[in-house]
Amino acid sequence: MKKILVWCLLACLTGVAFAADESPADSKAVDRVKAAATVLDEIQGAGDQGIPEEVLGSAECVAVVPSMLKGGFIVGARYGRGLASCRTPKGWSAPAFFTIGGGSFGLQIGGQAVDLVMLIMNKNGMDNLLSSKFKVGADASAAAGPVGRHASADTDWKMRAQILTYSRARGTFAGLELAGASVRQDKDSTREFYGRMVPFKTSLQGTIDAPDTAYPFLQTLAKWAKNAAK
């Protein structure tokens, strides 16, 4: 019964997300690129409330989901559409578009939209991302990321997880426990953005050049990653 409720709730959230995408303001994947850039800019511009410089500077890939939908009554669920970029010898890669969805049991009444940031911290995590289909917590270990201008002196955050996760809701930014969420390539957004189907590996490994419409996100990412590397 609980599984049926989860799927029903996810279907509702998916319908809301697609309805939003069909509106004039959010009809194109490029709008998601701009929104992701804004999310990252605002989070890192918050100083002591952002992602620590050492953590961002160590990330192999960065993924952002603007306004991931959360909702539930008795059974919680979440659904979102985002994009990711990875480090390459030439700089940050062309973006890869993905969907993220998953359910969790527990008393959750009401719904809200949160901005989600995922940092892929090592090669194993990057390999899972490149597969274009994995489950957080099962295929790739994840943990709530540390918050602040600088990370704690201890290196636990480097060793315990392939992915560090963060969320922002109603102005509050914090590490997020995200387990059981499934990440898959967003084929519709990929075709819309590139005009053809582009595999995850092709974009994230730097095999293709990023189009001009990717620059708002890539330039913002490069700016903060460069600051973090200083």
Side-chain angles (χ1 to χ4, degrees):
M1 183 64 181
K2 286 186 175 180
K3 287 184 178 180
I4 294 174
L5 289 173
V6 168
W7 283 112
C8 289
L9 188 53
L10 279 174
C12 291
L13 291 177
T14 303
V16 172
F18 276 102
D21 280 351
E22 291 172 357
S23 67
D26 299 311
S27 61
K28 298 179 181 179
V30 68
D31 294 324
R32 202 168 306 124
V33 172
K34 295 176 181 178
T38 299
V39 168
L40 193 58
D41 224 4
E42 291 177 353
I43 287 173
Q44 290 308 98
D48 290 340
Q49 297 301 312
I51 299 169
E53 295 176 356
E54 301 91 333
V55 176
L56 183 57
S58 298
E60 294 291 338
C61 310
V62 176
V64 180
V65 182
S67 298
M68 182 176 74
L69 298 176
K70 294 178 63 181
F73 182 85
I74 306 304
V75 178
R78 47 188 173 262
Y79 179 85
R81 302 172 99 176
L83 61 151
S85 177
C86 294
R87 295 182 188 272
T88 76
K90 298 184 293 184
W92 290 93
S93 72
F97 293 83
F98 64 89
T99 63
I100 181 169
S104 61
F105 297 114
L107 186 61
Q108 299 182 35
I109 300 175
Q112 61 176 320
V114 302
D115 299 317
L116 170 68
V117 178
M118 298 187 292
L119 304 184
I120 291 76
M121 302 305 298
N122 52 42
K123 184 180 183 302
N124 288 336
M126 186 172 178
D127 287 344
N128 279 307
L129 183 63
L130 292 175
S131 73
S132 79
K133 180 181 178 182
F134 70 94
K135 180 170 286 189
V136 178
D139 302 314
S141 61
V147 174
R149 187 175 296 276
H150 295 285
S152 167
D154 101 39
T155 59
D156 190 44
W157 59 269
K158 290 183 178 179
M159 314 205 20
R160 63 179 173 163
Q162 298 172 15
I163 301 174
L164 295 178
T165 51
Y166 296 88
S167 70
R168 182 180 67 164
R170 297 174 184 170
T172 300
F173 181 69
L176 171 71
E177 291 290 348
L178 184 66
S182 295
V183 176
R184 298 170 182 267
Q185 184 174 21
D186 184 347
K187 296 181 179 180
D188 291 338
S189 294
T190 300
R191 291 190 182 98
E192 181 185 352
F193 191 75
Y194 290 103
R196 67 188 191 282
M197 191 59 212
V198 177
F200 251 40
K201 286 186 178 181
T202 300
S203 53
L204 293 180
Q205 290 182 332
T207 306
I208 62 171
D209 293 329
D212 291 347
T213 46
Y215 288 174
F217 178 65
L218 298 184
Q219 289 177 340
T220 300
L221 179 55
K223 174 182 70 175
W224 291 112
K226 182 178 180 180
N227 290 343
K230 290 181 179 180

